mmCIF file of all heavy atoms in Angstrom:
data_model
loop_
_atom_site.group_PDB
_atom_site.id
_atom_site.type_symbol
_atom_site.label_atom_id
_atom_site.label_comp_id
_atom_site.label_asym_id
_atom_site.label_seq_id
_atom_site.Cartn_x
_atom_site.Cartn_y
_atom_site.Cartn_z
ATOM 1 N N ASP Z 30 59.668 -74.491 -29.709
ATOM 2 C CA ASP Z 30 59.536 -73.760 -28.450
ATOM 3 C C ASP Z 30 58.600 -72.560 -28.552
ATOM 4 O O ASP Z 30 58.234 -71.973 -27.551
ATOM 5 C CB ASP Z 30 60.904 -73.269 -27.979
ATOM 6 C CG ASP Z 30 61.848 -74.433 -27.723
ATOM 7 O OD1 ASP Z 30 61.352 -75.530 -27.398
ATOM 8 O OD2 ASP Z 30 63.071 -74.248 -27.861
ATOM 9 N N VAL Z 31 58.237 -72.168 -29.751
ATOM 10 C CA VAL Z 31 57.435 -70.955 -29.960
ATOM 11 C C VAL Z 31 56.115 -71.337 -30.612
ATOM 12 O O VAL Z 31 56.064 -72.229 -31.444
ATOM 13 C CB VAL Z 31 58.199 -69.964 -30.874
ATOM 14 C CG1 VAL Z 31 57.386 -68.719 -31.120
ATOM 15 C CG2 VAL Z 31 59.538 -69.613 -30.256
ATOM 16 N N SER Z 32 55.069 -70.632 -30.228
ATOM 17 C CA SER Z 32 53.782 -70.857 -30.876
ATOM 18 C C SER Z 32 53.852 -70.275 -32.284
ATOM 19 O O SER Z 32 53.850 -69.066 -32.469
ATOM 20 C CB SER Z 32 52.669 -70.182 -30.073
ATOM 21 O OG SER Z 32 51.463 -70.244 -30.795
ATOM 22 N N ALA Z 33 53.932 -71.126 -33.267
ATOM 23 C CA ALA Z 33 54.132 -70.691 -34.646
ATOM 24 C C ALA Z 33 52.837 -70.589 -35.430
ATOM 25 O O ALA Z 33 52.864 -70.249 -36.601
ATOM 26 C CB ALA Z 33 55.082 -71.655 -35.346
ATOM 27 N N SER Z 34 51.720 -70.855 -34.807
ATOM 28 C CA SER Z 34 50.475 -70.870 -35.570
ATOM 29 C C SER Z 34 50.138 -69.506 -36.151
ATOM 30 O O SER Z 34 49.642 -69.416 -37.270
ATOM 31 C CB SER Z 34 49.328 -71.380 -34.710
ATOM 32 O OG SER Z 34 49.109 -70.521 -33.614
ATOM 33 N N VAL Z 35 50.411 -68.424 -35.423
ATOM 34 C CA VAL Z 35 50.119 -67.084 -35.936
ATOM 35 C C VAL Z 35 50.966 -66.805 -37.160
ATOM 36 O O VAL Z 35 50.472 -66.305 -38.175
ATOM 37 C CB VAL Z 35 50.353 -66.019 -34.844
ATOM 38 C CG1 VAL Z 35 50.244 -64.624 -35.420
ATOM 39 C CG2 VAL Z 35 49.369 -66.203 -33.713
ATOM 40 N N PHE Z 36 52.243 -67.128 -37.091
ATOM 41 C CA PHE Z 36 53.117 -66.887 -38.239
ATOM 42 C C PHE Z 36 52.781 -67.812 -39.402
ATOM 43 O O PHE Z 36 52.883 -67.419 -40.551
ATOM 44 C CB PHE Z 36 54.585 -67.046 -37.839
ATOM 45 C CG PHE Z 36 55.078 -65.889 -37.031
ATOM 46 C CD1 PHE Z 36 55.330 -66.037 -35.691
ATOM 47 C CD2 PHE Z 36 55.266 -64.653 -37.613
ATOM 48 C CE1 PHE Z 36 55.777 -64.972 -34.931
ATOM 49 C CE2 PHE Z 36 55.700 -63.580 -36.874
ATOM 50 C CZ PHE Z 36 55.960 -63.734 -35.524
ATOM 51 N N SER Z 37 52.374 -69.019 -39.111
ATOM 52 C CA SER Z 37 51.990 -69.939 -40.177
ATOM 53 C C SER Z 37 50.770 -69.419 -40.918
ATOM 54 O O SER Z 37 50.734 -69.410 -42.147
ATOM 55 C CB SER Z 37 51.698 -71.323 -39.606
ATOM 56 O OG SER Z 37 52.844 -71.856 -39.034
ATOM 57 N N LEU Z 38 49.778 -68.973 -40.165
ATOM 58 C CA LEU Z 38 48.572 -68.430 -40.801
ATOM 59 C C LEU Z 38 48.875 -67.136 -41.540
ATOM 60 O O LEU Z 38 48.345 -66.890 -42.622
ATOM 61 C CB LEU Z 38 47.486 -68.214 -39.752
ATOM 62 C CG LEU Z 38 46.909 -69.487 -39.142
ATOM 63 C CD1 LEU Z 38 45.929 -69.146 -38.022
ATOM 64 C CD2 LEU Z 38 46.238 -70.329 -40.195
ATOM 65 N N THR Z 39 49.724 -66.302 -40.964
ATOM 66 C CA THR Z 39 50.092 -65.049 -41.625
ATOM 67 C C THR Z 39 50.839 -65.333 -42.922
ATOM 68 O O THR Z 39 50.566 -64.713 -43.948
ATOM 69 C CB THR Z 39 50.953 -64.189 -40.688
ATOM 70 O OG1 THR Z 39 50.237 -63.957 -39.478
ATOM 71 C CG2 THR Z 39 51.292 -62.857 -41.331
ATOM 72 N N GLY Z 40 51.771 -66.266 -42.894
ATOM 73 C CA GLY Z 40 52.504 -66.613 -44.112
ATOM 74 C C GLY Z 40 51.594 -67.181 -45.183
ATOM 75 O O GLY Z 40 51.713 -66.842 -46.361
ATOM 76 N N ALA Z 41 50.668 -68.028 -44.783
ATOM 77 C CA ALA Z 41 49.716 -68.586 -45.750
ATOM 78 C C ALA Z 41 48.836 -67.480 -46.331
ATOM 79 O O ALA Z 41 48.549 -67.474 -47.536
ATOM 80 C CB ALA Z 41 48.859 -69.651 -45.087
ATOM 81 N N ALA Z 42 48.422 -66.530 -45.501
ATOM 82 C CA ALA Z 42 47.581 -65.434 -45.988
ATOM 83 C C ALA Z 42 48.347 -64.537 -46.946
ATOM 84 O O ALA Z 42 47.805 -64.102 -47.977
ATOM 85 C CB ALA Z 42 47.052 -64.623 -44.807
ATOM 86 N N ILE Z 43 49.610 -64.240 -46.645
ATOM 87 C CA ILE Z 43 50.413 -63.418 -47.559
ATOM 88 C C ILE Z 43 50.574 -64.127 -48.899
ATOM 89 O O ILE Z 43 50.453 -63.508 -49.965
ATOM 90 C CB ILE Z 43 51.782 -63.089 -46.928
ATOM 91 C CG1 ILE Z 43 51.602 -62.135 -45.737
ATOM 92 C CG2 ILE Z 43 52.718 -62.455 -47.957
ATOM 93 C CD1 ILE Z 43 52.860 -61.925 -44.929
ATOM 94 N N ALA Z 44 50.831 -65.418 -48.867
ATOM 95 C CA ALA Z 44 50.952 -66.177 -50.115
ATOM 96 C C ALA Z 44 49.637 -66.158 -50.889
ATOM 97 O O ALA Z 44 49.620 -66.003 -52.114
ATOM 98 C CB ALA Z 44 51.384 -67.612 -49.822
ATOM 99 N N LEU Z 45 48.525 -66.300 -50.192
ATOM 100 C CA LEU Z 45 47.217 -66.259 -50.840
ATOM 101 C C LEU Z 45 46.971 -64.917 -51.508
ATOM 102 O O LEU Z 45 46.527 -64.861 -52.659
ATOM 103 C CB LEU Z 45 46.107 -66.541 -49.826
ATOM 104 C CG LEU Z 45 44.683 -66.362 -50.337
ATOM 105 C CD1 LEU Z 45 44.361 -67.404 -51.390
ATOM 106 C CD2 LEU Z 45 43.700 -66.430 -49.198
ATOM 107 N N PHE Z 46 47.274 -63.823 -50.805
ATOM 108 C CA PHE Z 46 47.073 -62.512 -51.409
ATOM 109 C C PHE Z 46 48.019 -62.291 -52.584
ATOM 110 O O PHE Z 46 47.666 -61.617 -53.550
ATOM 111 C CB PHE Z 46 47.196 -61.400 -50.371
ATOM 112 C CG PHE Z 46 45.998 -61.325 -49.478
ATOM 113 C CD1 PHE Z 46 46.111 -61.529 -48.124
ATOM 114 C CD2 PHE Z 46 44.739 -61.074 -49.998
ATOM 115 C CE1 PHE Z 46 45.004 -61.482 -47.297
ATOM 116 C CE2 PHE Z 46 43.623 -61.032 -49.186
ATOM 117 C CZ PHE Z 46 43.760 -61.233 -47.839
ATOM 118 N N GLY Z 47 49.197 -62.871 -52.532
ATOM 119 C CA GLY Z 47 50.095 -62.803 -53.680
ATOM 120 C C GLY Z 47 49.500 -63.476 -54.897
ATOM 121 O O GLY Z 47 49.552 -62.949 -56.013
ATOM 122 N N LEU Z 48 48.883 -64.627 -54.697
ATOM 123 C CA LEU Z 48 48.230 -65.328 -55.810
ATOM 124 C C LEU Z 48 46.996 -64.572 -56.297
ATOM 125 O O LEU Z 48 46.710 -64.550 -57.506
ATOM 126 C CB LEU Z 48 47.862 -66.744 -55.376
ATOM 127 C CG LEU Z 48 49.049 -67.664 -55.092
ATOM 128 C CD1 LEU Z 48 48.574 -68.991 -54.511
ATOM 129 C CD2 LEU Z 48 49.871 -67.888 -56.348
ATOM 130 N N LEU Z 49 46.262 -63.947 -55.394
ATOM 131 C CA LEU Z 49 45.104 -63.151 -55.808
ATOM 132 C C LEU Z 49 45.534 -61.937 -56.635
ATOM 133 O O LEU Z 49 44.835 -61.538 -57.565
ATOM 134 C CB LEU Z 49 44.294 -62.710 -54.589
ATOM 135 C CG LEU Z 49 43.508 -63.811 -53.893
ATOM 136 C CD1 LEU Z 49 42.899 -63.289 -52.586
ATOM 137 C CD2 LEU Z 49 42.426 -64.358 -54.792
ATOM 138 N N VAL Z 50 46.686 -61.356 -56.296
ATOM 139 C CA VAL Z 50 47.197 -60.236 -57.084
ATOM 140 C C VAL Z 50 47.493 -60.687 -58.501
ATOM 141 O O VAL Z 50 47.209 -59.970 -59.458
ATOM 142 C CB VAL Z 50 48.441 -59.619 -56.405
ATOM 143 C CG1 VAL Z 50 49.173 -58.679 -57.340
ATOM 144 C CG2 VAL Z 50 48.025 -58.878 -55.138
ATOM 145 N N PHE Z 51 48.037 -61.900 -58.671
ATOM 146 C CA PHE Z 51 48.236 -62.445 -60.013
ATOM 147 C C PHE Z 51 46.914 -62.488 -60.775
ATOM 148 O O PHE Z 51 46.850 -62.145 -61.951
ATOM 149 C CB PHE Z 51 48.792 -63.873 -59.945
ATOM 150 C CG PHE Z 51 50.282 -63.948 -59.934
ATOM 151 C CD1 PHE Z 51 50.929 -64.548 -58.879
ATOM 152 C CD2 PHE Z 51 51.021 -63.439 -60.980
ATOM 153 C CE1 PHE Z 51 52.305 -64.646 -58.867
ATOM 154 C CE2 PHE Z 51 52.406 -63.528 -60.972
ATOM 155 C CZ PHE Z 51 53.042 -64.131 -59.906
#
Side-chain angles (χ1 to χ4, degrees):
D30 299 332
V31 179
S32 172
S34 63
V35 172
F36 286 108
S37 297
L38 292 175
T39 303
I43 291 171
L45 173 67
F46 285 118
L48 294 173
L49 288 172
V50 167
F51 270 121

